Amino acid sequence: MSKVSRVTARRLLGTGAASLVLCAATVASASGAWAHGTPGGDGWKHGGGYRPGSGAGTVTETDRCQFSLDGAGFSDSVRVDDQNLKPTDDGKAHIKVRAAGDATTCTASLASYLAHGASFATSGEQVFVDFDTVTVKSGQTDSLDIAVPDAGCFAQIDLYRGAVKFDGEQDAKDGFHHGDLPKGPDRPVIKDKLIAAWNGGTKDCTTAEESQPPTSPASPSPSAPASQEPSTPAAESTPPASSTPSAGTPSPSDAPSTTPQASDSPKESAAPAATPNGGGGDLAETGGGGNSGLLAAGAAVLVAGGAAFLVMSKRRRGATRA
């Protein structure tokens, strides 16, 4: 083998050995990465259009309210007792509401109830009185306005988060979300959404409140329609007293007013109608009346007497001539 051939063979062997070492190192490093590292790829840096943290999402809004009784000083809660919530000239109690400084929105509600006792434990099932709810944005101010029970009545007032109307009217179609009536510790309804509450009073006013609705439907009197039925026909069937002519006015000009229905009823016009002077038909206009029979009898007597007088006169004349 020539010197040139030997050099070429050595170079080829050296290149092959280096290639084998490089392949082994590559395989070893790859297996170590899968065993101990995190799977992934270069696509996070070079492929596609997504970047960590740049996907779609919704910012969670902070909902927290602050309240004020005078509209000046605001705090996270206020006392809602019978001393602070006194009705104004419009008959309602008012609480100003705004979103807290770090909040983007705020929803709160205020409700009043009559109760059966002075404490929450003895309040029983409350009787709903009034409710109001507001939602305000950051930088805005609104007002909760409700009617409160009369002074001295057992009552409950609740200030709470959210807009649920706890009045027991589950089927009401008024745009509100309704909940059960509170019933003391047996049925608490506001739970962790309560901000402030008050129970108090010295007398039970629920009896009068609950007895009013049943009395209102019974107010219409069923005898009213019955009293109207006989009165209407009587008024229609009884002619006015002024339409009957007096006995001393048999003037022909009054005759049409005495029989106003003669032209409307042929059967009634066929029968002789009674008149003030006792006549009937056309005799009512002449005044003959019922004396026509006597006149006819008198005329017959006169005719018979005249005939007898003529016969006697002829007999006397014949006797004289003889």
Side-chain angles (χ1 to χ4, degrees):
M1 180 180 293
S2 64
K3 186 177 180 179
V4 175
S5 299
R6 288 196 297 271
V7 172
T8 302
R10 289 174 183 173
R11 290 180 177 177
L12 291 174
L13 290 173
T15 302
S19 299
L20 290 174
V21 172
L22 180 61
C23 290
T26 303
V27 172
S29 62
S31 61
W34 281 103
H36 304 289
T38 300
D42 291 338
W44 290 110
K45 297 180 180 179
H46 305 291
Y50 292 100
R51 295 291 182 272
S54 65
T58 301
V59 178
T60 301
E61 295 183 343
T62 302
D63 188 318
R64 189 164 67 87
C65 298
Q66 288 185 334
F67 309 93
S68 174
L69 295 175
D70 58 6
F74 283 83
S75 60
D76 292 342
S77 180
V78 292
R79 293 180 62 86
V80 290
D81 54 25
D82 57 346
Q83 298 300 317
N84 291 321
L85 290 185
K86 291 185 177 180
T88 57
D89 294 339
D90 61 356
K92 292 191 174 185
H94 308 275
I95 296 179
K96 297 293 183 180
V97 185
R98 75 178 185 185
D102 60 343
T104 53
T105 185
C106 164
T107 299
S109 300
L110 185 65
S112 60
Y113 304 87
L114 285 171
H116 298 273
S119 65
F120 182 68
T122 61
S123 59
E125 184 175 62
Q126 286 88 327
V127 178
F128 177 79
V129 176
D130 202 4
F131 163 85
D132 194 15
T133 184
V134 294
T135 297
V136 295
K137 298 292 185 180
S138 178
Q140 297 179 350
T141 302
D142 209 330
S143 179
L144 291 168
D145 313 299
I146 65 167
V148 293
D150 294 338
C153 292
F154 294 143
Q156 175 174 309
I157 298 175
D158 296 320
L159 176 65
Y160 54 96
R161 297 186 300 274
V164 180
K165 188 176 183 180
F166 295 102
D167 60 351
E169 301 291 337
Q170 302 287 358
D171 297 330
K173 307 297 181 182
D174 55 1
F176 290 104
H177 178 63
H178 293 260
D180 293 333
L181 276 170
K183 190 179 180 181
D186 295 335
R187 188 167 65 215
V189 294
I190 299 175
K191 300 178 181 178
D192 60 339
K193 295 185 181 299
L194 185 66
I195 299 172
W198 172 80
N199 286 84
T202 58
K203 60 182 179 179
D204 190 350
C205 302
T206 59
T207 304
E209 186 73 16
E210 293 172 349
S211 62
Q212 289 178 0
T215 58
S216 56
S219 57
S221 176
S223 61
S227 62
Q228 294 177 358
E229 293 179 0
S231 61
T232 303
E236 295 176 355
S237 61
T238 304
S242 59
S243 63
T244 304
S246 61
T249 56
S251 173
S253 62
D254 296 335
S257 63
T258 60
T259 57
Q261 298 180 352
S263 60
D264 297 335
S265 178
K267 293 182 179 180
E268 292 181 0
S269 62
T275 56
N277 56 14
D282 295 336
L283 296 180
E285 300 179 1
T286 60
N291 297 327
S292 58
L294 296 176
L295 293 177
V301 171
L302 292 176
V303 172
F309 179 76
L310 291 176
V311 172
M312 292 295 297
S313 298
K314 289 181 179 181
R315 290 180 178 178
R316 288 178 181 177
R317 290 176 184 175
T320 304
R321 291 178 180 178

